[in-house]
Amino acid sequence: MTQFLNRRRFTAGVALAPLAAGGLLAGCSGMPDTVRIGVAQPLSGPLAALGQDLLNEVGKQVAQQLVDGGICAVIGHLNSGVSIAAAPIYAGKGIAQIAISTNPKYTDLGFPTTLRMVANDKLQGAALASFGAEQLGGKRYAALDDGTPYGKDLSEGAAQRLEAAKKSVVLRQSFDDKTVAFDELAAKLKAENVDVAISTLNDFQALALLAALKKINYTSLRLLGGDTVKTTDMQKGAGIIDGIYATSPVLEAKEFVSGAAFLEKYQAAFKMAPAYGGHYTYDSMYVLSQALQLAKSAKPADITAALHKINGYAPVTGTMKWDEKGEQRYAAVGVYELRRGNWELRMRSDRW
């Protein structure tokens, strides 16, 4: 199974990817021999050791390094907080920023340069609420988050949608992204007779919560998390409670017709499986090359304008097309269930 790593657990990295005009950009006129594409993704660290303020500062420094390096576009960043903090720096130079970050605030900034690879958290919040209400059939819900921009907004959005659907959200609680002491929370869940917990906690936090629930013999509930619990580590929690589910706007490569071929080539090239959303970055580079050909220019403003016009061929996911805000027109959110040691797709939709 492809391993999915928590996207909030690594420090920022920066790379400049030169793209030869004679390769993917064949046929462009007036192009330099080489153009520079910035790639800003995590490479090391754990993020949990850094405060969010420090994380955002690092993101800004990376963005400035890329801008100073003469890039014409950037693929990054991974974390919503970093993407949001870095966006004004790229926008100031008209540089397109194609990010996998899901917080709606990223495109709500109103810059023409902010483009998203996948669905945003409004759709993911709708998926959490819809699946939790209609498929899990809960009567009493809890909404739990880790206090990050991603987790807090996603949990709150799901809770609001549940309440709008006349579901009873009897407990809402926010933590930080390091907390693992959940005995008190477990007792509250038992006292409130919660049968579905909507959670945007990290996988290690969710496992700690399951251990606390097991200790007080309250395991007759289902956990429905965001994509930060959709990891191989969560296999350790299988069988403790009645069910473990996760939503994700990052659909697995194997779900696409061309995904198997991509995974095979990736494994052959790097001797490892892609960790998180590598196929979206791969597709983004292809679509970006098409925008360069359409623009017939390596000027950032021309590339950004072309990206907004393009309906780009994406080798794995099929196509990428952005609306006027920079959101994907064809993005979907999947819901997965942890069964037999694997995350199995239950359903997916772009119209939750």
Side-chain angles (χ1 to χ4, degrees):
M1 186 179 88
T2 301
Q3 182 176 6
F4 277 73
L5 302 179
N6 189 321
R7 60 180 162 155
R8 295 201 294 262
R9 203 176 290 173
F10 304 91
T11 54
V14 57
L16 291 172
L19 191 58
L24 289 174
L25 303 183
C28 291
S29 60
M31 293 289 293
D33 289 337
T34 302
V35 295
R36 288 186 156 207
I37 309 299
V39 180
Q41 300 290 6
L43 298 176
S44 63
L47 280 189
L50 303 175
Q52 189 66 38
D53 290 343
L54 175 58
L55 173 61
N56 291 348
E57 284 299 320
V58 170
K60 291 177 182 178
Q61 290 172 11
V62 167
Q64 194 61 58
Q65 289 172 24
L66 290 172
V67 170
D68 293 344
I71 60 167
C72 63
V74 65
I75 297 175
H77 299 243
L78 184 71
N79 311 88
S80 292
V82 182
S83 292
I84 292 167
I89 297 172
Y90 299 125
K93 297 295 183 179
I95 296 171
Q97 177 188 2
I98 307 176
I100 204 169
S101 305
T102 55
N103 193 307
K105 292 177 182 176
Y106 170 63
T107 51
D108 286 346
L109 291 168
F111 300 132
T113 50
T114 54
L115 305 168
R116 198 189 313 274
M117 298 181 200
V118 296
N120 67 28
D121 287 337
K122 289 182 180 177
L123 188 60
Q124 191 175 7
L128 282 165
S130 178
F131 187 84
E134 297 172 13
Q135 302 298 318
L136 297 184
K139 295 182 179 179
R140 297 175 67 80
Y141 293 78
L144 314 172
D145 72 79
D146 69 349
T148 64
Y150 162 78
K152 195 171 185 65
D153 289 355
L154 180 55
S155 177
E156 181 61 24
Q160 289 175 0
R161 288 177 179 272
L162 283 168
E163 290 177 336
K166 309 301 181 184
K167 295 294 182 179
S168 179
V169 181
V170 297
L171 177 65
R172 297 191 194 191
Q173 193 158 350
S174 184
F175 301 88
D176 60 33
D177 59 359
K178 308 174 194 64
T179 298
V180 291
F182 289 119
D183 287 350
E184 183 179 341
L185 173 59
K188 288 181 180 179
L189 293 170
K190 184 175 183 177
E192 292 290 351
N193 199 26
V194 169
D195 54 2
V196 176
I198 305 293
S199 167
T200 58
L201 298 171
N202 291 287
D203 56 356
F204 68 93
Q205 294 179 298
L207 289 169
L209 174 57
L210 296 189
L213 290 166
K214 183 178 180 180
K215 187 161 49 174
I216 61 172
N217 196 31
Y218 189 68
T219 58
S220 58
L221 80 165
R222 280 74 52 81
L223 177 75
L224 175 57
D227 54 338
T228 52
V229 300
K230 189 175 175 287
T231 69
T232 52
D233 278 353
M234 278 304 297
Q235 295 173 13
K236 300 171 186 175
I240 294 178
I241 60 175
D242 282 354
I244 300 175
Y245 305 83
T247 60
S248 180
V250 179
L251 305 177
E252 294 193 40
K254 65 183 181 182
E255 296 175 37
F256 298 95
V257 173
S258 301
F262 167 79
L263 292 171
E264 184 178 341
K265 290 178 181 178
Y266 191 101
Q267 182 73 40
F270 302 107
K271 312 305 178 189
M272 61 185 296
Y276 183 87
H279 46 300
Y280 286 95
T281 300
Y282 180 78
D283 282 356
S284 294
M285 183 62 84
Y286 266 82
V287 175
L288 182 54
S289 76
Q290 293 170 55
L292 281 157
Q293 293 179 60
L294 177 65
K296 294 182 171 57
S297 167
K299 294 180 180 179
D302 294 340
I303 296 168
T304 298
L307 283 167
H308 277 279
K309 297 175 184 176
I310 203 168
N311 188 353
Y313 165 68
V316 181
T317 61
T319 188
M320 285 191 175
K321 181 176 178 60
W322 289 277
D323 66 15
E324 61 280 357
K325 284 191 66 176
E327 299 287 357
Q328 276 295 319
R329 290 192 182 275
Y330 307 122
V333 173
V335 182
Y336 303 81
E337 181 179 1
L338 187 59
R339 299 181 65 194
R340 297 184 291 270
N342 290 285
W343 286 104
E344 297 183 3
L345 180 67
R346 283 284 302 268
M347 59 192 304
R348 74 179 184 194
S349 177
D350 61 354
R351 298 178 183 274
W352 290 98

